[in-house]
Amino acid sequence: MHIHWLQHADFEDLGCIEPWLAARGHVVSGSRLHAGETPLPVAAFDALIVLGGPMNIYACHEHPWLRTEKALIRTAIDQGRRVLGICLGAQLIADVLGGPVSRNAEPEIGWFEVELNEAGRAEPLFAGLPPRFTAFHWHVDTYALPPGATGLAHSAACAQQAFSFDCGRVLGLQCHLEVTRDNAIEWFRHEAVTSSRYVQTADAILADVDAFAANNAAMRAILERWLP
């Protein structure tokens, strides 16, 4: 399959997804939207991965390419492509499907437990996940569940952690299961955080090497079912 991915910041990449795709022989291309690159037309790819980023989906004045990106995502969904959104990507998908995006009650950064709801426990894409697992988070916004979508998970800080649309063809993940420890180190070089109830320090986050391994294993388990 030809997988196209959309990037919003140089320091946020595919993480553990990239070697997984390469090992299975998929053709992979990407567009750095923040650098002015034009994404491929929908007809050129089979699946779309929309990554996270430091901006908000409603910051169209500062980032006018967001309008073009939203149109591309909408077209990809309408034309039957598989679409995966992570953090900002999930919010963009929710937005184009009619689920408003707004500021979360509190920022959520670090290792926090995600719990699958009844639909999440029954979701085939999540068959390899336990009902509760620790995931890496880095977000200040959240989304409302779009019409026709199924909410799958929540955390203590955020009511919406995952959703599916059209029987799992379209999947949104608020948490960052793709992030490796090297990714997190790079993020902290660009983004400073202040510890609070749902924000952990960089030292605490980076010290948990096993958590990164489990985080990436969860991402790979989902990919095995999302890209059969």
Side-chain angles (χ1 to χ4, degrees):
M1 296 178 72
H2 186 161
I3 316 300
H4 192 64
W5 59 287
L6 302 179
Q7 187 176 24
H8 307 102
D10 286 334
F11 58 89
E12 295 203 31
D13 59 27
L14 285 170
C16 75
I17 297 175
E18 186 169 16
W20 188 92
L21 293 173
R24 282 149 185 80
H26 294 295
V27 175
V28 180
S29 60
S31 297
R32 300 183 307 146
L33 301 176
H34 60 289
E37 295 180 359
T38 301
L40 293 178
V42 170
F45 57 78
D46 303 298
L48 181 68
I49 299 176
V50 188
L51 294 182
M55 65 286 299
N56 311 104
I57 72 118
Y58 39 80
C60 295
H61 291 298
E62 297 89 342
H63 310 286
W65 43 265
L66 281 166
R67 296 187 180 91
T68 302
E69 181 179 16
K70 290 179 186 181
L72 176 73
I73 293 169
R74 177 79 250 189
T75 301
I77 293 172
D78 290 346
Q79 294 189 8
R81 300 302 187 270
R82 298 180 184 273
V83 183
L84 168 64
I86 298 173
C87 198
L88 176 71
Q91 295 163 11
L92 285 163
I93 294 172
D95 179 74
V96 303
L97 291 176
V101 174
S102 60
R103 189 59 58 102
N104 197 45
E106 298 187 58
E108 186 178 29
I109 299 174
W111 298 112
F112 297 100
E113 188 176 79
V114 169
E115 182 175 355
L116 302 181
N117 59 22
E118 184 177 355
R121 293 191 295 272
E123 170 57 56
L125 294 176
F126 288 175
L129 303 182
R132 296 181 181 180
F133 59 94
T134 299
F136 184 70
H137 306 262
W138 195 310
H139 69 105
V140 297
D141 284 351
T142 188
Y143 58 86
L145 192 65
T150 301
L152 303 174
H154 65 273
S155 66
C158 186
Q160 301 293 344
Q161 282 291 344
F163 70 91
S164 65
F165 181 78
D166 194 16
C167 300
R169 178 175 62 87
V170 178
L171 178 65
L173 299 174
Q174 182 60 67
C175 52
H176 283 280
L177 300 179
E178 86 289 0
V179 166
T180 67
R181 188 173 186 277
D182 286 343
N183 289 142
I185 290 171
E186 188 66 18
W187 289 16
F188 280 116
R189 292 193 180 118
H190 293 84
E191 300 282 338
V193 300
T194 301
S195 180
S196 62
R197 182 162 66 146
Y198 294 112
V199 178
Q200 298 168 347
T201 66
D203 288 344
I205 291 169
L206 296 175
D208 201 340
V209 178
D210 290 342
F212 283 104
N215 197 59
N216 295 164
M219 185 76 260
R220 290 189 291 268
I222 292 171
L223 291 171
E224 290 283 358
R225 294 160 177 82
W226 183 67
L227 286 179

